[in-house]
Amino acid sequence: LMTNLIELEMVNTRIRKLPGRLNELKALNKITLLNNRPRGRIRLGKNSHVKSLVIGDDEHDFRPRSYRKFAALEALDLTRNNLTRFPALRGTRSLRRLTLAENQLTLQDLRKARPELEQLVLTSNKIERVPRVMGGFRNLKKLNMNSNQITSLTPEIGRLGKLEELSLYKNKLSVIPGKIYDLGSLRVIDLYYNQLDQLDTAIRKWSKLEILYAANNRLFTLPDNLGALKNLRELYLQHNRLSSLPESVA
């Protein structure tokens, strides 16, 4: 046995099952399976050590039906698997980071939140509306929804009291719901490439905000109380319709 093996990566394979004997590799922490072409769905043998699993470039969606046999799984990356539905994650109690980038998700099938998640990446999908159930991911610290077609956000996101980073780069937002300003733990928000024409004075509630990306929008004015953001270190406003800055910025 390769007892010191920490990471196992397999590319361009036809693997049908990740065997339970992998559990004998006590140091094995991460398994990556890319461009796999099995004859059926991948099966997972029982494993109590692997914390990170990456399955990608699966055009026909041969990913496992369940991940519960990987009892220690903390990070699951399913980028580029042609997913049209949010994956079933029953039994993955240790899961903290979920990446579902570059798929075909709309989130309209999402009925149940995953409150244990701390990081959720939904970049480059087909999301147009963010559903109410998203407010149930109450332990999220990072939510990335870049490069979608989002026109509306559920105000329920305002319930994500631990959220530190919210990325909405390259969407179609014309307004930020008032409840989003209730995210008092927010440190970074990315609003690049949307259709916003203003920011509300409630922006003062983002008291911990350090970075505000608001370039490439339609902003013609900024809130007079923008200067209340005492922790702000970086402010990006290029390619808008601004003719002046609030005096409070000084």
Side-chain angles (χ1 to χ4, degrees), residues 8 10 13 15-23 28 30-33 36 41-47 50 52-55 64 67 69-70:
L8 174 61
M10 297 164 283
T13 55
I15 292 172
R16 180 73 184 273
K17 181 180 180 180
L18 295 178
R21 283 207 66 189
L22 289 175
N23 197 44
L28 186 61
K30 181 178 181 179
I31 295 177
T32 299
L33 191 58
N36 190 41
R41 284 190 177 270
I42 307 166
R43 290 179 294 149
L44 303 180
K46 289 186 178 181
N47 194 291
V50 172
S52 179
L53 176 63
V54 179
I55 299 176
Y67 303 91
K69 289 187 176 181
F70 274 37

Side-chain angles (χ1 to χ4, degrees), residues 207-241:
S207 58
K208 296 182 179 180
L209 196 68
E210 298 176 5
I211 304 176
L212 172 57
Y213 297 102
N216 293 90
N217 277 280
R218 300 175 179 176
L219 298 174
F220 61 87
T221 185
L222 295 170
D224 289 337
N225 61 353
L226 184 64
L229 303 181
K230 301 299 184 182
N231 288 303
L232 197 65
R233 297 186 291 107
E234 300 179 32
L235 176 60
Y236 298 89
L237 297 167
Q238 61 268 32
H239 300 292
N240 277 287
R241 299 183 296 174

Side-chain angles (χ1 to χ4, degrees), residues 116-128:
E116 73 278 7
L117 286 181
E118 297 179 359
Q119 179 175 316
L120 177 59
V121 178
L122 294 163
T123 303
S124 299
N125 277 280
K126 294 186 176 181
I127 304 168
E128 296 182 4

Side-chain angles (χ1 to χ4, degrees), residues 172-218:
K172 296 184 177 181
L173 289 171
S174 59
V175 65
I176 299 175
K179 292 293 184 179
I180 306 301
Y181 292 103
D182 291 340
L183 297 172
S185 294
L186 209 59
R187 297 183 183 276
V188 180
I189 186 166
D190 190 346
L191 300 169
Y192 258 61
Y193 287 101
N194 276 278
Q195 300 172 12
L196 301 171
D197 57 21
Q198 63 179 336
L199 298 173
D200 197 271
T201 55
I203 198 173
R204 68 183 185 280
K205 296 181 181 179
W206 292 343
S207 58
K208 296 182 179 180
L209 196 68
E210 298 176 5
I211 304 176
L212 172 57
Y213 297 102
N216 293 90
N217 277 280
R218 300 175 179 176

